[in-house]
């Protein structure tokens, strides 16, 4: 695990606030994400599973797709993915396919409901080890802002 930069913390707060705003609006799937690169926010996104009935439209996947469109490349090397909750297994795999090598997130798996993860026996460190440390991560940034959203879901 690494530490978050001040810019990552600033963007993470916006990601966390976005999730809380969605919950306050009565949304039932309130995951949010952003991609940053070269000191700039490339995009912000939210989970679109409920809108599309496409189970792959997690906020992180939506953010990576939008970042690829805006940057006109599927290679997001040098970008950082930020998420309101620790990315699930699918999102971590998509992150690796996009060549993103850093992820920052708020709610940590240990503090979130089991319903958000389909391989409960695998930890983020297992995924990191499986790709020979191909990505860095830091969790718990702004977790206090979103903990109430993700804690009790199961």
């Amino acid at each position: 695990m690494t530490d978050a930069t001040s810019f990552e913390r600033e963007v993470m707060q916006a990601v966390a606030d976005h999730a809380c705003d969605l919950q306050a609006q009565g949304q039932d799937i309130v995951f949010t994400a952003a991609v940053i690169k070269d000191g700039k926010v490339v995009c912000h996104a939210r989970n679109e599973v409920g809108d599309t009935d496409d189970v792959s439209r997690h906020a992180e996947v939506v953010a990576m797709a939008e970042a690829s469109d805006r940057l006109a490349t599927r290679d997001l090397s040098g970008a950082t993915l930020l998420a309101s909750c620790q990315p699930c297994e699918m999102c971590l795999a998509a992150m690796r396919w996009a060549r993103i090598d850093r992820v920052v997130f708020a709610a940590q798996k240990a503090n979130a409901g089991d319903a958000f993860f389909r391989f409960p026996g695998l930890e983020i460190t297992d995924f990191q080890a499986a790709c020979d440390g191909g990505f860095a991560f830091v969790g718990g940034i702004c977790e206090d802002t979103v903990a109430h959203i993700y804690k009790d879901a199961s």
Side-chain angles (χ1 to χ4, degrees):
M1 191 168 347
T2 62
D3 196 19
T5 67
S6 59
F7 180 60
E8 289 170 337
R9 288 177 181 279
E10 176 185 320
V11 177
M12 189 69 252
Q13 188 64 59
V15 168
D17 290 344
H18 186 197
C20 291
D21 290 346
L22 291 172
Q23 185 194 41
Q25 294 168 19
Q27 298 287 323
D28 64 342
I29 304 175
V30 293
F31 294 93
T32 55
V35 173
I36 59 175
K37 186 172 181 177
D38 299 329
K40 297 177 184 146
V41 176
V42 177
C43 64
H44 284 274
R46 66 175 180 81
N47 185 297
E48 295 179 354
V49 172
D51 301 334
T52 64
D53 288 329
D54 179 343
V55 298
S56 70
R57 300 300 290 167
H58 290 198
E60 298 91 334
V61 172
V62 174
M64 287 183 277
E66 190 170 324
S68 290
D69 285 346
R70 288 185 181 186
L71 298 172
T73 181
R74 65 176 175 238
D75 183 348
L76 298 178
S77 298
T80 299
L81 176 66
L82 297 97
S84 60
C85 187
Q86 181 175 319
C88 74
E89 307 85 0
M90 178 185 71
C91 293
L92 288 172
M95 181 188 82
R96 295 297 299 141
W97 280 106
R99 299 178 188 249
I100 292 175
D101 60 4
R102 184 166 173 77
V103 61
V104 178
F105 52 90
Q108 299 173 86
K109 179 181 176 185
N111 301 327
D114 292 338
F116 303 130
F117 302 92
R118 294 296 177 240
F119 296 89
L122 295 174
E123 300 301 326
I124 194 167
T125 51
D126 297 318
F127 288 93
Q128 186 185 45
C131 64
D132 295 326
F135 68 92
F137 70 91
V138 59
I141 306 302
C142 301
E143 186 170 30
D144 56 334
T145 303
V146 297
H148 66 285
I149 296 173
Y150 307 118
K151 182 167 51 170
D152 296 324
S154 40

